[in-house]
Amino acid sequence: MDYMLEAKKEADKNLTLNEGGPFGAVIVKNGQIVGRGHNKVLKNNDPTCHAEMEAIRDASQKLGTHDLAGTELYTSCYPCPMCLSAAIWANIHKIYFGNTAEDAADIGFKDEKIYDFIKGNCQDKELVELTLLDRDKTIETFANFAQKSDKELY
């Protein structure tokens, strides 16, 4: 099966459904598609409903786990920082992408500022302003978690 073609088919849905941008993704395990998604940002009024996020949610539900180790992600475009991070958190160690971030920028999607911000190359206050606040109040929860014997890191 051509998994990138399946990701493209997911992306193509928004050429008619208009539920979000033209992005699609599938997650594969042992030669079978276990998760599918296309961008649903507009449909759900939720900026996290990118294709990759939808596919990760679908695969996690179908497989009954948050740990997607042993799967591969096929996505129609280079993942944005949120989706790339989610794939890493889900233990997806192989990602195949069709279009580049530059291709996405050419049609109006601009992730470069976010990548620049992460690298420390962007101080755009309109993008986001990060301020450390009340660490003395919040660090106690971390200390208590560190002492738990039944903690699970993910």
Side-chain angles (χ1 to χ4, degrees):
M1 177 175 282
D2 185 341
Y3 303 120
M4 189 58 74
L5 181 58
E6 292 299 311
K8 178 198 178 303
K9 287 178 184 176
E10 287 294 323
D12 285 345
K13 289 179 180 179
N14 275 341
L15 296 177
T16 55
L17 294 175
N18 296 317
E19 294 179 340
F23 305 100
V26 296
I27 295 178
V28 175
K29 184 170 186 171
N30 298 326
Q32 299 295 315
I33 294 176
V34 296
R36 291 180 173 273
H38 64 275
N39 187 297
K40 294 182 181 176
V41 168
L42 300 177
K43 176 186 180 193
N44 294 340
N45 293 315
D46 182 344
T48 69
C49 290
H50 290 193
E52 298 91 340
M53 300 294 285
E54 293 293 304
I56 289 169
R57 290 175 181 134
D58 188 38
S60 294
Q61 289 298 306
K62 286 180 179 166
L63 297 175
T65 182
H66 65 279
D67 186 351
L68 299 180
T71 66
E72 298 174 337
L73 172 62
Y74 292 78
T75 179
S76 64
C77 188
Y78 189 87
C80 77
M82 174 183 67
C83 294
L84 184 57
S85 296
I88 292 168
W89 279 112
N91 289 317
I92 300 171
H93 298 291
K94 277 205 168 200
I95 300 173
Y96 301 95
F97 62 95
N99 296 316
T100 66
E102 292 79 16
D103 295 329
D106 288 345
I107 61 168
F109 293 89
K110 308 270 186 214
D111 295 339
E112 293 93 13
K113 274 191 176 182
I114 300 171
Y115 280 113
D116 286 344
F117 182 85
I118 292 168
K119 293 175 189 172
N121 299 334
C122 177
Q123 302 302 320
D124 188 342
K125 298 288 188 204
E126 290 181 19
L127 186 61
V128 67
E129 185 174 334
L130 291 171
T131 306
L132 180 64
L133 178 67
D134 294 333
R135 181 176 179 265
D136 58 318
K137 295 176 185 173
T138 59
I139 196 66
E140 182 181 339
T141 303
F142 277 21
N144 291 336
F145 179 83
Q147 294 177 15
K148 285 180 52 133
S149 61
D150 64 343
K151 67 180 173 255
E152 183 176 343
L153 301 177
Y154 50 92

